[in-house]
Amino acid sequence: MKLLAFDTGTEMMSIAVSRTVGGQVQLWQHTASGGARASTDLIPAILDLMQQAGLRLDTLDAICFGSGPGSFTGLRTACSVAQGLAFGAGVPVLAVDSLLAVAEEARHAGLSAQPSGVVTALLDARMDELYGASYAYDGGLWTELAGSTLVKPEELIRVASASAEPPTPWVLAGNVFAVYGERVALHDPAAATALRITALPTATSMLRLAPQLLAAGKAVSAEHALPSYIRDKVAKTTAERMAEKAAAMTTTSP
């Protein structure tokens, strides 16, 4: 199996190419700053990595991209590049949920000794909110428990599981802990004791997820590949900002 994967939905740009020969996985990877630079740096970096691997785009089994949630601009960049490369090469596209990729990165990095468990993946959505979703893993295979949603840092219980109670043990993974600190545990004792793993959606985690997703028939033709935004706006309106300022002044006034 030959695969290309990339993610530009966060502050990092992650690219990886893999080729499986005789049951052995050969891997080439590249990581760099993302953000505004991703739109100009992504394609040259992909072509350079493909050259290092000695592969042509038309020999790939699929092109995988981080579909979100994440940065609007980053998700559009990744999706459009995946579509363009896949259309020209005549290969399918695999849109990989970015929160699932966070969960897989955490499992691989810090939970490899545990055969099963539950991970709540969290990404900073800015505007004092988080993207979150929860997944159970068993023997390396993933099942979604609670789909991607947008919450305040204090509302993690909403994405803990399909039930009203958080799982035990509970693993939190993502890039939100330095930003929101203990707010992610303010109203939930279970979250206060959960294992926390800092992780981003990487291209290598997407490559590990790809076989399960491909076997489930998740690959699509280039024209049907879409990003997943979750949030429908990227900034608060002037009225919203003024209302928040007025509320804060009312709260702090004697």
Side-chain angles (χ1 to χ4, degrees):
M1 181 172 288
K2 306 178 186 70
L3 297 167
L4 162 67
F6 46 87
D7 184 275
T8 58
T10 69
E11 62 271 20
M12 299 301 295
M13 179 178 71
S14 178
I15 310 169
V17 175
S18 68
R19 175 172 56 197
T20 305
V21 180
Q24 298 296 314
V25 177
Q26 301 173 336
L27 179 67
W28 295 262
Q29 54 187 317
H30 173 78
T31 303
S33 297
R37 294 186 56 180
S39 60
T40 56
D41 293 352
L42 180 58
I43 291 179
I46 288 173
L47 296 179
D48 180 65
L49 208 59
M50 290 291 291
Q51 184 177 33
Q52 292 180 40
L55 293 174
R56 301 194 318 271
L57 289 168
D58 61 2
T59 66
L60 295 172
D61 291 283
I63 294 176
C64 316
F65 76 98
S67 62
S71 157
F72 276 41
T73 301
L75 298 183
R76 285 195 295 267
T77 295
C79 184
S80 61
V81 169
Q83 287 178 312
L85 295 178
F87 184 80
V91 299
V93 174
L94 184 63
V96 181
D97 188 295
S98 298
L99 290 169
L100 178 57
V102 168
E104 168 58 25
E105 183 66 16
R107 184 203 65 81
H108 183 76
L111 305 169
S112 56
Q114 299 183 20
S116 62
V118 174
V119 178
T120 294
L122 304 165
L123 286 173
D124 186 5
R126 309 297 173 88
M127 295 170 62
D128 204 40
E129 291 178 312
L130 316 174
Y131 295 119
S134 283
Y135 308 90
Y137 65 94
D138 188 1
L141 298 179
W142 289 93
T143 302
E144 183 182 278
L145 299 179
S148 301
T149 189
L150 193 65
V151 296
K152 292 289 185 181
E154 295 84 2
E155 299 174 331
L156 288 192
I157 190 64
R158 283 178 46 191
V159 291
S161 68
S163 66
E165 297 296 326
T168 304
W170 190 11
V171 177
L172 307 179
N175 67 345
V176 302
F177 309 118
V179 179
Y180 296 106
E182 292 308 308
R183 289 181 62 194
V184 298
L186 190 60
H187 299 296
D188 193 345
T193 59
L195 174 64
R196 301 183 181 193
I197 299 176
T198 298
L200 288 173
T202 65
T204 51
S205 66
M206 293 163 57
L207 291 178
R208 291 191 298 271
L209 292 167
Q212 178 184 352
L213 298 175
L214 290 171
K218 299 297 185 180
V220 299
S221 57
E223 64 270 23
H224 292 125
L226 293 171
S228 175
Y229 293 120
I230 306 301
R231 175 188 280 152
D232 58 5
K233 64 178 181 178
V234 296
K236 295 181 181 180
T237 64
T238 301
E240 288 171 332
R241 291 195 299 270
M242 291 179 65
E244 287 185 354
K245 183 176 181 180
M249 293 176 65
T250 300
T251 303
T252 56
S253 61

